[in-house]
Amino acid sequence: MMKALILGGYGAVGRHLVTELHEYGDVAVQAGRDATRAQAVVDLREPDLRSYRLALSDVDVVINASGLEDPKIALLAAESGAAFVDVTATSSYIASLGRLDLPRPVIVDVGLAPGLANLLAAAVHETTGGPIDLAVVLGAGEQHGAAATAWSYRLLGSRFDDRGQSVRNYTRPRQFNLPMYGRRRLYRANFSDQHSLSRDLEVPVRTYFGLDSRLATTALAVLTWVPAASKAPRGVNLPGTDRWLVLARGHDGTTRWATGRNQSRATAMIAAITARAAVGLPPGVHHLHKVLDLIDIPTGKGISVNDAEHPVVPTDLDQ
């Protein structure tokens, strides 16, 4: 039996994590600022992080679903003897974790994308070489957590480096023939998986993103050119469902994909099995595709994995 401290334990991902870990027979401690909802009152805004330090007592693993990206919370967990699992997609933050000298394991690229996307890409790479495209479609109608929503907004108008080229988020569209959705136009986005996969697989990997609503996807492509769009009001109701799709495709059309409903629950399922694997790993930062294989994903609980091939070659629409 494992004891896990869940930062953001009553949030969109955190509350599902509690359920998943309980099903494995583990102890899951919900941590947060609200004393009426948290089992351990932890305020990560404290300068000395005193409440967090106290909550680390006798913890085997810390799962960060709070959205706070501060390397110090990973370092404190490791120094207390706990493994650390972070549910984040920010490449700069993951890079900062990699520069730490950690006495315990830290696992990153955990969730759908990054996360499940890494495992799909690794499976494709086993059978085909060359570049790999990742397609990520999330449900516009799902009530995403505050951290996930804020992360998506921060991408608007910002740029990232892609092997020496500066790429603006939500630009450089490419057409994909997607299961359930048909032919769709998706846009580049700075998910951390494309960077770690490009390095580890030694082939170019690019992530393309969209929402299940064509209108909402087009809105992102327009807003990325609007000054200060990243500060626009949250909580806008968009048309769409809670269905998600993650797909990896090799240069020859070899495709692996996974789909399901409720991104937050799927992320929690992957984070739960990752946390259980983390405890026995050596110190240092580990990316998910170095820890788990696609076969480790519990497909009987709302995640459907398919290895169908789609021979349609993507059409470049870069502008």
Side-chain angles (χ1 to χ4, degrees):
M1 184 173 64
M2 177 184 71
K3 182 180 179 180
L5 179 71
I6 304 173
L7 305 178
Y10 45 76
V13 173
R15 61 177 180 266
H16 290 296
L17 256 170
V18 172
T19 300
E20 292 297 321
L21 291 171
H22 283 170
E23 289 184 3
Y24 285 115
D26 297 319
V27 176
V29 180
Q30 293 174 285
R33 294 193 302 269
D34 188 345
T36 64
R37 293 188 289 174
Q39 295 169 303
V41 178
V42 172
D43 188 350
L44 296 175
R45 301 172 302 178
E46 294 173 338
D48 61 355
L49 293 174
R50 181 175 181 275
S51 59
Y52 175 51
R53 294 171 188 266
L54 292 174
L56 289 171
S57 177
D58 298 322
V59 168
D60 297 304
V61 60
V62 176
I63 307 173
N64 183 21
S66 70
L68 178 68
E69 297 175 341
D70 183 352
K72 189 175 182 180
I73 64 175
L75 182 59
L76 288 175
E79 289 176 345
S80 76
F84 190 83
V85 173
D86 207 308
V87 180
T88 183
T90 303
S91 56
S92 58
Y93 169 57
I94 290 176
S96 68
L97 290 175
R99 292 190 289 270
L100 297 176
D101 183 13
L102 297 162
R104 293 288 291 149
V106 171
I107 305 184
V108 295
D109 287 351
V110 179
L112 292 186
L116 185 53
N118 295 58
L119 305 185
L120 293 165
V124 167
H125 187 256
E126 288 181 355
T127 59
T128 181
I132 295 174
D133 287 334
L134 299 176
V136 180
V137 179
L138 300 183
E142 181 175 342
Q143 295 299 312
H144 299 284
T149 301
W151 182 87
S152 300
Y153 272 76
R154 285 200 302 270
L155 295 186
L156 289 168
S158 65
R159 292 178 174 271
F160 63 96
D161 180 76
D162 180 18
R163 290 173 291 280
Q165 290 189 355
S166 178
V167 178
R168 182 188 287 264
N169 285 294
Y170 306 130
T171 66
R172 305 197 181 192
R174 171 164 286 193
Q175 293 279 3
F176 286 84
N177 189 22
L178 300 174
M180 300 178 299
Y181 296 107
R183 199 160 178 82
R184 293 292 303 272
R185 178 181 294 190
L186 305 180
Y187 297 84
R188 292 298 306 277
N190 191 21
F191 288 80
S192 62
D193 48 7
Q194 60 197 321
H195 306 295
S196 58
L197 287 166
S198 293
R199 179 193 65 239
D200 294 345
L201 302 183
E202 298 182 337
V203 299
V205 179
R206 296 183 175 91
T207 302
Y208 294 83
F209 175 72
L211 297 166
D212 62 344
S213 162
R214 293 178 186 270
L215 177 63
T217 302
T218 301
L220 291 175
V222 172
L223 286 171
T224 199
W225 296 100
V226 177
S230 62
K231 299 179 181 179
R234 304 326 192 233
V236 178
N237 292 322
L238 297 173
T241 70
D242 66 348
R243 179 170 289 282
W244 54 265
L245 170 75
V246 181
L247 177 146
R249 180 173 52 202
H251 74 289
D252 62 353
T254 300
T255 303
R256 300 297 301 270
W257 54 270
T259 188
R261 306 190 78 93
N262 194 321
Q263 172 201 351
S264 297
R265 180 169 183 260
T267 296
M269 290 168 58
I270 295 169
I273 61 172
T274 303
R276 306 190 93 239
V279 176
L281 291 175
V285 174
H286 305 264
H287 294 264
L288 189 66
H289 56 278
K290 295 290 189 177
V291 177
L292 300 179
D293 294 318
L294 194 57
I295 195 172
D296 296 316
I297 299 302
T299 56
K301 300 177 62 177
I303 298 178
S304 175
V305 178
N306 192 294
D307 62 353
E309 292 188 357
H310 296 267
V312 178
V313 177
T315 302
D316 283 325
L317 298 174
D318 294 358
Q319 299 175 351

